[in-house]
Amino acid sequence: MGRLILYILLGLMITAFLLFMPIILEADAHYDINRRKFGFAVFLYKIVKLIGGYAATYQGGLALHVSPKKAILIPYSEIDSERKRFSFVRSFRLIAFTLTTETGAEYLLPVSLANTVLRTVFFLLGGSREKIENNLWLTDGDVLRVSFNIVAYFNIFMLLCALFKFLKEKIKILWQKKMKKSTN
């Protein structure tokens, strides 16, 4: 009987640890308007590279080049439908956000306005002043380079809560459609 209680307690502790242990993701990206390249990398705990490469456009959409021989093609028609599906990214919590923009005088006004808007959105989402860093570098010539680093965390419990909310809303919508059909 004592071993059974020990196994149950051990199982509960492991389950609680796995549910509430923070999973930290770090995303780095760089965009150069002159070369029309968008490079990116996503790391787990700053150690394990999950995905990385560069994105480029092709005639029908976007191509994510994740290795020298592999590219993921995303047609423009599917981008909107992908946005409407369940997204676990909304359950992430930001730890840090760094944005560095290198621009010439031609893009200075729109870029500074975009930096201000991003900073405002970050604060509206609950970010603190210590967690954000904006750098705006003015250079000579027709240059626009944007680099950012985002560090965020989530845990399995947060994902499960978001999934249950999503499923609840979908069931509610289906139920309302069914009730509307039955009353007509």
Side-chain angles (χ1 to χ4, degrees):
M1 187 70 172
R3 283 189 178 176
L4 178 64
I5 293 174
L6 177 67
Y7 291 144
I8 290 173
L9 284 175
L10 189 61
L12 287 174
M13 288 174 45
I14 290 173
T15 303
F17 177 76
L18 291 176
L19 274 176
F20 296 107
M21 184 183 95
I23 300 169
I24 299 173
L25 294 178
E26 180 173 354
D28 294 315
H30 178 76
Y31 177 68
D32 189 348
I33 196 167
N34 292 337
R35 289 190 282 161
R36 293 192 315 227
K37 293 278 180 149
F38 179 78
F40 64 94
V42 178
F43 294 94
L44 179 69
Y45 295 112
K46 295 185 181 185
I47 299 170
V48 180
K49 183 177 178 183
L50 297 178
I51 190 169
Y54 69 94
T57 58
Y58 70 96
Q59 193 167 3
L62 294 173
L64 299 176
H65 299 270
V66 293
S67 74
K69 294 183 180 182
K70 184 177 179 185
I72 301 169
L73 301 177
I74 304 171
Y76 289 133
S77 60
E78 290 182 12
I79 290 176
D80 192 45
S81 64
E82 290 290 325
R83 181 183 59 84
K84 293 179 182 175
R85 292 185 343 179
F86 172 69
S87 175
F88 67 92
V89 176
R90 293 182 190 136
S91 60
F92 286 10
R93 302 291 180 257
L94 282 176
I95 295 174
F97 180 73
T98 304
L99 175 68
T100 303
T101 308
E102 181 180 356
T103 183
E106 183 178 334
Y107 302 111
L108 182 61
L109 185 63
V111 166
S112 62
L113 183 64
N115 274 348
T116 305
V117 168
L118 279 173
R119 194 171 186 87
T120 305
V121 168
F122 180 77
F123 290 139
L124 288 175
L125 292 175
S128 65
R129 199 175 83 196
E130 296 83 28
K131 294 181 180 182
I132 188 168
E133 179 182 341
N134 281 20
N135 300 313
L136 180 59
W137 299 343
L138 184 61
T139 60
D140 193 24
D142 183 23
V143 174
L144 179 59
R145 293 184 192 117
V146 179
S147 299
F148 66 86
N149 174 278
I150 298 173
V151 181
Y153 78 94
F154 68 96
N155 58 34
I156 304 298
F157 179 75
M158 293 163 61
L159 292 181
L160 288 174
C161 288
L163 178 66
F164 287 138
K165 263 187 211 174
F166 174 77
L167 291 175
K168 184 183 94 170
E169 290 298 319
K170 285 295 184 184
I171 290 171
K172 182 179 171 183
I173 290 169
L174 290 173
W175 181 264
Q176 288 173 349
K177 284 182 183 177
K178 187 171 183 174
M179 290 301 288
K180 196 178 251 188
K181 281 184 182 179
S182 69
T183 57
N184 290 336

